[in-house]
Amino acid sequence: MRWTKEELDRYHRQMILPQVGPEGQERLKRASVVVVGAGGLGVPVLQYLVAAGVGRVGVVEMDRVEVSNLHRQVLYATEDVGEPKALVAQKRLQALNPLVRVEAYPVRLTSENALEILRPYDLVVDASDNFPTRYLVNDAAVLLGKPLVFGAIYQFDGQVAVFHHPTLHGEMGPCYRCLFPKPPPPGAVPSCAEAGVFGVLPAVVGSLMAAEALKVLLGIGKPLAGHLLLYDALEASFRKLTVRRNPRCPVCGDEPTQRELVDYEAFCGLR
């Protein structure tokens, strides 16, 4: 295993950790992660994965930078308003760490392209902000056999979990559908644009998501497989709930009935 001086200098503080070491850093160098969403949650996830030396990182995001993004999506600047987030993120992340490869997908993730986009990567991170995309990403990850790191935010509250990954007991953990079998009725959960969001909340939740992704890639610690972590920024409190795999889940159950991607707009009642 040969390391350049630049690599040793850049990753030294991480490599001296007994749980990481040169072998762990090599695992990160060979690993690949795709992040769906480069907004409030996606930005800190992407920054920390790239900084940590994950060798290949994909950015899937169709939106353009808006002024209203800037109070929480700190990868972007005022000069970027109107530009595609995926391309701006790629440029900034590549400047952050030129030793890794950042790939941009400035497209909308759909049932038609999801499997093709996600397939080449080892791990999927769902940093999206809407239910159709969450169900789409979950189903695609399960069908592809990929672990999925999930995060969500609402006003002052956050959620983090690791889906479709073995638990500490060795059995396969639940997927997103085991926790939420059916989406909420349309309009029942306001978006950040409607309900607002505490500016630093995505940084906290996104950093937790990045930590879970790195733990999964390194094979260390206790990933949140089989658990849902709840964070309350106002109370400065955390709660961890146990989530079990549903053997009758239509996607990851013992006898799955859904073996392909569907129309998730229709599934969520938006058509």
Coordinates of all heavy atoms in Angstrom, one line a residue, residues 2-12 14-15 25-32 46-47 49-57 90-103:
R2 N 0.8 2.0 -1.1 CA 1.7 3.2 -1.2 C 0.8 4.4 -1.0 O -0.2 4.6 -1.6 CB 2.4 3.2 -2.6 CG 3.5 2.1 -2.7 CD 4.0 2.1 -4.1 NE 5.2 1.2 -4.2 CZ 6.4 1.6 -4.3 NH1 6.7 2.9 -4.4 NH2 7.4 0.7 -4.3
W3 N 1.4 5.4 -0.3 CA 0.7 6.6 -0.1 C 1.6 7.8 -0.5 O 2.8 7.8 -0.2 CB 0.3 6.8 1.4 CG -0.6 5.8 1.9 CD1 -0.3 4.6 2.5 CD2 -2.0 5.8 1.9 NE1 -1.4 3.9 2.9 CE2 -2.5 4.6 2.5 CE3 -3.0 6.7 1.4 CZ2 -3.9 4.3 2.6 CZ3 -4.3 6.5 1.5 CH2 -4.8 5.3 2.1
T4 N 1.0 8.8 -1.2 CA 1.8 10.0 -1.5 C 1.9 10.9 -0.3 O 1.1 10.7 0.7 CB 1.1 10.7 -2.6 OG1 -0.2 11.3 -2.1 CG2 0.8 9.8 -3.8
K5 N 2.8 11.8 -0.3 CA 3.0 12.7 0.8 C 1.7 13.5 1.0 O 1.3 13.8 2.1 CB 4.2 13.6 0.6 CG 4.5 14.6 1.7 CD 5.7 15.4 1.5 CE 6.0 16.3 2.7 NZ 4.9 17.2 3.1
E6 N 1.1 13.9 -0.1 CA -0.1 14.7 0.0 C -1.2 14.0 0.7 O -2.0 14.5 1.5 CB -0.6 15.2 -1.4 CG -1.8 16.1 -1.4 CD -2.2 16.6 -2.8 OE1 -1.5 16.2 -3.7 OE2 -3.2 17.4 -2.9
E7 N -1.4 12.7 0.4 CA -2.4 11.9 1.0 C -2.1 11.7 2.5 O -3.0 11.8 3.3 CB -2.4 10.5 0.3 CG -3.1 10.5 -1.0 CD -3.0 9.1 -1.7 OE1 -1.9 8.5 -1.6 OE2 -4.0 8.7 -2.3
L8 N -0.8 11.4 2.8 CA -0.5 11.3 4.2 C -0.7 12.6 5.0 O -1.2 12.5 6.2 CB 1.0 10.8 4.3 CG 1.3 9.4 3.8 CD1 2.8 9.2 3.8 CD2 0.6 8.4 4.7
D9 N -0.4 13.7 4.4 CA -0.6 15.0 5.1 C -2.1 15.3 5.3 O -2.5 15.7 6.3 CB 0.1 16.1 4.3 CG 1.6 16.1 4.4 OD1 2.1 15.4 5.2 OD2 2.2 16.7 3.5
R10 N -2.8 15.0 4.2 CA -4.3 15.3 4.2 C -5.0 14.4 5.2 O -5.9 14.9 5.9 CB -4.8 15.2 2.8 CG -6.3 15.6 2.7 CD -6.8 15.4 1.3 NE -6.2 16.4 0.4 CZ -6.8 17.6 0.1 NH1 -8.0 17.9 0.6 NH2 -6.2 18.4 -0.7
Y11 N -4.8 13.2 5.3 CA -5.6 12.2 6.0 C -4.9 11.8 7.3 O -5.5 10.9 8.0 CB -5.9 11.0 5.2 CG -6.5 11.3 3.8 CD1 -6.0 10.8 2.7 CD2 -7.7 12.1 3.8 CE1 -6.6 11.0 1.4 CE2 -8.2 12.4 2.5 CZ -7.7 11.8 1.4 OH -8.3 12.1 0.2
H12 N -3.8 12.4 7.7 CA -3.1 11.9 8.9 C -3.9 11.8 10.1 O -3.9 10.8 10.9 CB -1.8 12.8 9.1 CG -1.1 12.5 10.3 ND1 -1.2 13.2 11.5 CD2 -0.2 11.4 10.6 CE1 -0.4 12.6 12.4 NE2 0.2 11.6 11.9
Q14 N -6.9 11.4 10.6 CA -7.9 10.3 10.5 C -7.2 8.9 10.6 O -7.7 8.0 11.2 CB -8.7 10.4 9.3 CG -9.9 9.5 9.1 CD -10.8 10.0 8.0 OE1 -11.7 10.8 8.2 NE2 -10.7 9.4 6.8
M15 N -6.1 8.8 9.9 CA -5.4 7.5 9.8 C -4.8 7.1 11.1 O -4.5 5.9 11.3 CB -4.3 7.6 8.7 CG -4.9 7.7 7.3 SD -3.6 8.0 6.0 CE -2.8 6.5 6.0
Q25 N -8.3 3.8 5.6 CA -8.2 4.9 4.6 C -8.2 4.3 3.2 O -8.7 4.9 2.3 CB -6.9 5.7 4.9 CG -6.9 7.0 4.1 CD -8.1 7.9 4.6 OE1 -8.3 8.2 5.7 NE2 -8.8 8.5 3.6
E26 N -7.5 3.2 3.1 CA -7.5 2.5 1.7 C -8.9 2.1 1.4 O -9.3 2.2 0.2 CB -6.6 1.3 1.8 CG -6.5 0.5 0.5 CD -5.8 1.3 -0.7 OE1 -5.1 2.3 -0.3 OE2 -5.9 0.9 -1.8
R27 N -9.7 1.6 2.3 CA -11.1 1.3 2.0 C -11.9 2.5 1.6 O -12.7 2.4 0.6 CB -11.8 0.6 3.3 CG -11.2 -0.7 3.7 CD -12.0 -1.3 4.8 NE -13.4 -1.7 4.5 CZ -14.2 -2.4 5.2 NH1 -13.7 -2.8 6.4 NH2 -15.4 -2.7 4.8
L28 N -11.7 3.6 2.2 CA -12.4 4.8 1.8 C -11.9 5.2 0.4 O -12.8 5.6 -0.4 CB -12.1 5.9 2.8 CG -12.7 5.8 4.2 CD1 -12.4 7.0 5.1 CD2 -14.2 5.5 4.2
K29 N -10.7 5.1 0.1 CA -10.1 5.5 -1.2 C -10.8 4.7 -2.3 O -11.0 5.2 -3.4 CB -8.6 5.3 -1.2 CG -7.9 5.8 -2.4 CD -6.4 5.7 -2.3 CE -5.7 6.1 -3.5 NZ -4.2 6.0 -3.4
R30 N -11.0 3.4 -2.0 CA -11.6 2.5 -3.0 C -13.2 2.6 -3.0 O -13.8 1.9 -3.9 CB -11.2 1.1 -2.7 CG -9.7 0.9 -2.9 CD -9.3 -0.6 -2.6 NE -7.8 -0.7 -2.7 CZ -7.2 -1.0 -3.9 NH1 -7.9 -1.1 -5.0 NH2 -5.9 -1.2 -3.9
A31 N -13.8 3.2 -2.1 CA -15.2 3.2 -1.9 C -15.9 4.3 -2.8 O -15.2 5.2 -3.3 CB -15.6 3.5 -0.5
S32 N -17.2 4.1 -3.0 CA -18.0 5.1 -3.8 C -19.3 5.3 -3.1 O -19.9 4.3 -2.7 CB -18.1 4.6 -5.2 OG -18.8 3.3 -5.3
L46 N -21.9 15.7 1.6 CA -20.9 15.7 0.5 C -19.6 16.3 1.0 O -18.5 15.7 0.7 CB -21.5 16.5 -0.6 CG -22.6 15.9 -1.4 CD1 -23.4 16.9 -2.2 CD2 -22.1 14.8 -2.3
Q47 N -19.6 17.3 1.7 CA -18.4 18.0 2.2 C -17.5 17.0 3.0 O -16.3 16.9 2.8 CB -18.7 19.3 3.0 CG -19.2 20.4 2.1 CD -19.6 21.6 2.9 OE1 -20.4 21.5 3.8 NE2 -19.0 22.7 2.6
L49 N -17.8 13.6 3.3 CA -17.4 12.4 2.6 C -16.2 12.7 1.7 O -15.2 11.9 1.6 CB -18.5 11.8 1.7 CG -19.7 11.3 2.5 CD1 -20.7 10.7 1.6 CD2 -19.3 10.2 3.5
V50 N -16.2 13.8 1.0 CA -15.1 14.2 0.1 C -13.9 14.5 0.9 O -12.8 14.1 0.6 CB -15.5 15.4 -0.8 CG1 -14.3 16.0 -1.5 CG2 -16.6 15.0 -1.8
A51 N -14.1 15.3 2.0 CA -12.9 15.6 2.8 C -12.3 14.4 3.4 O -11.0 14.3 3.6 CB -13.4 16.6 3.9
A52 N -13.1 13.4 3.7 CA -12.6 12.1 4.4 C -11.8 11.3 3.4 O -11.1 10.3 3.8 CB -13.7 11.4 5.0
G53 N -11.9 11.5 2.1 CA -11.2 10.8 1.1 C -11.9 9.6 0.5 O -11.3 8.7 -0.1
V54 N -13.3 9.7 0.5 CA -14.0 8.7 -0.2 C -13.7 8.8 -1.7 O -13.9 9.9 -2.3 CB -15.6 8.8 0.0 CG1 -16.3 7.9 -0.9 CG2 -15.9 8.6 1.5
G55 N -13.3 7.8 -2.4 CA -12.6 7.9 -3.7 C -13.5 8.4 -4.8 O -13.1 9.1 -5.7
R56 N -14.8 8.1 -4.7 CA -15.7 8.5 -5.8 C -17.0 8.9 -5.2 O -17.7 8.1 -4.5 CB -15.9 7.3 -6.8 CG -16.8 7.6 -8.0 CD -17.0 6.3 -8.8 NE -17.9 6.5 -9.9 CZ -18.5 5.5 -10.5 NH1 -18.3 4.2 -10.2 NH2 -19.3 5.7 -11.6
V57 N -17.5 10.1 -5.5 CA -18.7 10.6 -4.9 C -19.6 11.2 -6.0 O -19.2 12.0 -6.8 CB -18.4 11.7 -3.8 CG1 -19.7 12.3 -3.3 CG2 -17.5 11.2 -2.7
Q90 N -20.1 20.1 -7.6 CA -19.0 19.4 -8.1 C -17.7 20.2 -8.1 O -16.6 19.7 -7.7 CB -19.3 18.9 -9.5 CG -18.2 18.1 -10.2 CD -18.5 17.8 -11.6 OE1 -19.1 18.6 -12.4 NE2 -18.1 16.6 -12.1
K91 N -17.8 21.4 -8.6 CA -16.7 22.3 -8.7 C -16.1 22.6 -7.3 O -14.8 22.5 -7.1 CB -17.1 23.6 -9.4 CG -16.0 24.6 -9.5 CD -16.5 25.9 -10.1 CE -15.4 27.0 -10.2 NZ -15.9 28.2 -10.8
R92 N -16.9 22.9 -6.3 CA -16.4 23.3 -5.0 C -15.9 22.1 -4.3 O -14.8 22.1 -3.6 CB -17.6 23.9 -4.2 CG -18.2 25.2 -4.7 CD -17.4 26.4 -4.2 NE -17.6 27.5 -5.1 CZ -18.7 28.3 -5.1 NH1 -19.7 28.0 -4.3 NH2 -18.8 29.3 -6.0
L93 N -16.5 20.9 -4.4 CA -16.0 19.7 -3.8 C -14.7 19.2 -4.4 O -13.8 18.8 -3.6 CB -17.1 18.6 -3.9 CG -18.4 18.9 -3.1 CD1 -19.5 17.9 -3.5 CD2 -18.2 18.9 -1.6
Q94 N -14.6 19.3 -5.7 CA -13.3 19.0 -6.3 C -12.2 19.8 -5.9 O -11.1 19.4 -5.7 CB -13.5 19.0 -7.8 CG -12.5 18.1 -8.6 CD -12.8 16.6 -8.3 OE1 -13.7 16.0 -8.9 NE2 -12.0 16.0 -7.5
A95 N -12.5 21.1 -5.6 CA -11.5 22.1 -5.1 C -11.1 21.7 -3.6 O -10.0 21.9 -3.2 CB -12.0 23.5 -5.2
L96 N -12.1 21.3 -2.9 CA -11.9 20.9 -1.5 C -10.9 19.7 -1.4 O -10.0 19.7 -0.6 CB -13.2 20.5 -0.8 CG -13.2 19.9 0.6 CD1 -12.6 20.8 1.6 CD2 -14.5 19.4 1.0
N97 N -11.1 18.7 -2.3 CA -10.2 17.6 -2.3 C -10.0 17.1 -3.7 O -10.8 16.3 -4.3 CB -10.8 16.4 -1.5 CG -9.7 15.3 -1.3 OD1 -8.7 15.3 -1.9 ND2 -10.1 14.4 -0.4
P98 N -8.9 17.5 -4.4 CA -8.6 17.1 -5.8 C -8.2 15.6 -5.9 O -8.0 15.1 -7.0 CB -7.5 18.0 -6.2 CG -6.9 18.5 -5.0 CD -7.9 18.5 -3.9
L99 N -8.0 14.9 -4.7 CA -7.5 13.6 -4.8 C -8.7 12.6 -5.0 O -8.4 11.4 -5.2 CB -6.8 13.2 -3.5 CG -5.6 14.1 -3.1 CD1 -5.0 13.6 -1.8 CD2 -4.6 14.1 -4.2
V100 N -9.9 13.0 -4.9 CA -11.1 12.2 -5.1 C -11.8 12.6 -6.4 O -11.5 13.6 -7.0 CB -12.1 12.2 -4.0 CG1 -11.4 11.9 -2.7 CG2 -12.8 13.6 -3.9
R101 N -12.7 11.7 -6.9 CA -13.5 12.0 -8.1 C -14.9 12.4 -7.7 O -15.6 11.6 -7.1 CB -13.4 10.8 -9.1 CG -14.1 11.1 -10.4 CD -13.9 10.0 -11.4 NE -14.4 8.8 -11.0 CZ -14.4 7.7 -11.8 NH1 -13.9 7.7 -13.0 NH2 -14.9 6.5 -11.4
V102 N -15.4 13.5 -8.1 CA -16.7 13.9 -7.9 C -17.5 14.0 -9.2 O -17.1 14.6 -10.2 CB -16.8 15.3 -7.2 CG1 -18.2 15.8 -7.0 CG2 -16.0 15.4 -6.0
E103 N -18.6 13.2 -9.2 CA -19.4 13.1 -10.5 C -20.8 13.8 -10.3 O -21.4 13.5 -9.3 CB -19.6 11.6 -10.8 CG -18.3 10.9 -11.1 CD -18.4 9.4 -11.2 OE1 -19.3 8.9 -10.6 OE2 -17.5 8.8 -11.9

